[in-house]
Amino acid sequence: MTAPAPQGRGREPREQASGERNPGGRASRGHAAGRWKRHAKTGLGLFFTAVMLFPIYWMINVSLTKDTDMRADPPHLLPLDGTLEGYRAVIEQQMPYLGTSLIVGLGTVALTLALSAPAGFALAKLRPKGGGALSFVLLIAQMIPGIIMAMGFYAIYLRLGVLNTVPGLILADSTIAVPFGVLIFTAFMSGIPDELINAALIDGASRWRTFVSVILPVSRNAIVTVSLFAFLWAWSDFVFASTLDGGGDAQPITLGIYQYIGNNNQQWNAIMATAVVASIPATLLLIIAQRYVAAGVTAGAVKD
């Protein structure tokens, strides 16, 4: 008997050849579509980035523009015939304000760390009674408008005689940073293994020695994060400064810019130059500490 011939044997080469061509075509079309989407997303991201950074560029541009070219129509997009008069005015008139802001910022960082780091350790590891309620209160405290707190501080400072002083401004600025710092330290220190603390206690270390010698060294990311945000809040503060230090001899740079606008409302290059110089410390700190901040802010978000 003769075996029956296989069905469709003659179509196999054609189907095989077709199968070899189509996957390649689909892959090339898919690759081109994916590349087009990536280019579109990149272009869209660059566009929005340029829109957000344009005010900064325009601030720098105006700071280098001469007074005679300030009202040019159309405005000069590039300071081709620029001047440094604005920056000379900053050096001559605004340096005391910058020095005061630096003192206030560093003082706020020191006070914030001194209060928030031990509090975060206590809430994370010692677990006192009412710790959950205290964490909730700290969260609510961040929602209180600054002007309400400034009014309360004004009445207290007026009676204590610390109105228009740098220490009073440091204390006021710290009230914004401390609740945030406690929450960050609590979240970060909650992830530290209890075995480290138990080993230190077994070796004879006290709770305070354990905190200083064991907990703080491994909490570097949280320390940098809290320090950075505390400094930025104090550096850019205007509400507390204008309410509590408006008549003091040492005023921060935010009040310096405000008074400079009132006294020299036609010298916009000097005003913008002051804003540029005041932005440099914050920008440098953000660039240097960005990786520590990313780790510190996300601490405690994922549990093993």
Side-chain angles (χ1 to χ4, degrees):
M1 295 180 63
T2 304
Q7 296 288 333
R9 186 174 181 180
R11 292 195 299 268
E12 287 182 359
R14 182 181 300 176
E15 291 177 355
Q16 184 177 4
S18 176
E20 291 177 353
R21 289 194 302 269
N22 289 339
R26 295 195 191 101
S28 61
R29 287 195 299 270
H31 180 71
R35 184 171 54 184
W36 183 86
K37 289 181 180 179
R38 289 194 299 270
H39 290 335
K41 291 179 180 179
T42 302
L44 194 62
L46 291 175
F47 172 76
F48 284 116
T49 301
V51 170
M52 290 185 291
L53 294 180
F54 181 78
I56 299 176
Y57 164 75
W58 195 251
M59 180 176 64
I60 299 174
N61 181 38
V62 173
S63 70
L64 298 172
T65 303
K66 292 182 178 180
D67 291 335
T68 55
D69 298 334
M70 201 66 63
R71 299 182 181 276
D73 189 18
H76 296 171
L77 296 179
L78 294 173
L80 300 178
D81 188 19
T83 178
L84 295 176
E85 290 298 328
Y87 292 93
R88 294 191 185 98
V90 172
I91 296 175
E92 295 173 359
Q93 302 176 18
Q94 299 292 335
M95 294 306 292
Y97 297 101
L98 289 170
T100 302
S101 287
L102 183 61
I103 294 174
V104 172
L106 294 178
T108 301
V109 169
L111 184 57
T112 299
L113 291 179
L115 295 177
S116 60
F121 173 68
L123 292 175
K125 295 302 181 181
L126 303 183
R127 299 178 179 89
K129 293 182 179 180
L134 179 59
S135 300
F136 180 74
V137 170
L138 292 173
L139 185 62
I140 295 297
Q142 298 185 82
M143 304 179 185
I144 301 176
I147 187 61
I148 302 299
M149 300 177 64
M151 293 171 61
F153 274 117
Y154 183 87
I156 296 173
Y157 284 8
L158 187 61
R159 293 190 176 186
L160 296 178
V162 293
L163 198 63
N164 299 323
T165 62
V166 172
L169 191 56
I170 291 175
L171 178 61
D173 288 333
S174 299
T175 58
I176 298 179
V178 167
F180 172 80
V182 173
L183 295 177
I184 291 295
F185 276 118
T186 302
F188 188 91
M189 293 178 181
S190 296
I192 298 177
D194 293 335
E195 289 76 9
L196 287 176
I197 301 175
N198 295 333
L201 294 176
I202 292 174
D203 290 338
S206 62
R207 290 287 185 181
W208 177 253
R209 180 65 182 274
T210 302
F211 169 70
V212 174
S213 302
V214 178
I215 300 300
L216 287 183
V218 299
S219 303
R220 179 184 59 180
N221 293 335
I223 292 174
V224 173
T225 302
V226 174
S227 300
L228 178 63
F229 279 94
F231 183 85
L232 293 180
W233 282 329
W235 184 267
S236 61
D237 170 64
F238 178 77
V239 174
F240 285 154
S242 60
T243 305
L244 306 176
D245 196 26
D249 296 330
Q251 298 179 350
I253 188 60
T254 50
L255 291 186
I257 296 175
Y258 180 71
Q259 294 178 2
Y260 200 79
I261 292 176
N263 295 331
N264 305 279
N265 54 5
Q266 298 299 322
Q267 299 181 13
W268 286 104
N269 55 359
I271 296 171
M272 293 301 176
T274 305
V276 171
V277 173
S279 303
I280 293 176
T283 303
L284 292 178
L285 287 175
L286 285 172
I287 293 174
I288 295 173
Q290 59 179 343
R291 67 187 184 97
Y292 300 104
V293 172
V297 170
T298 57
V302 179
K303 297 294 184 181
D304 295 333

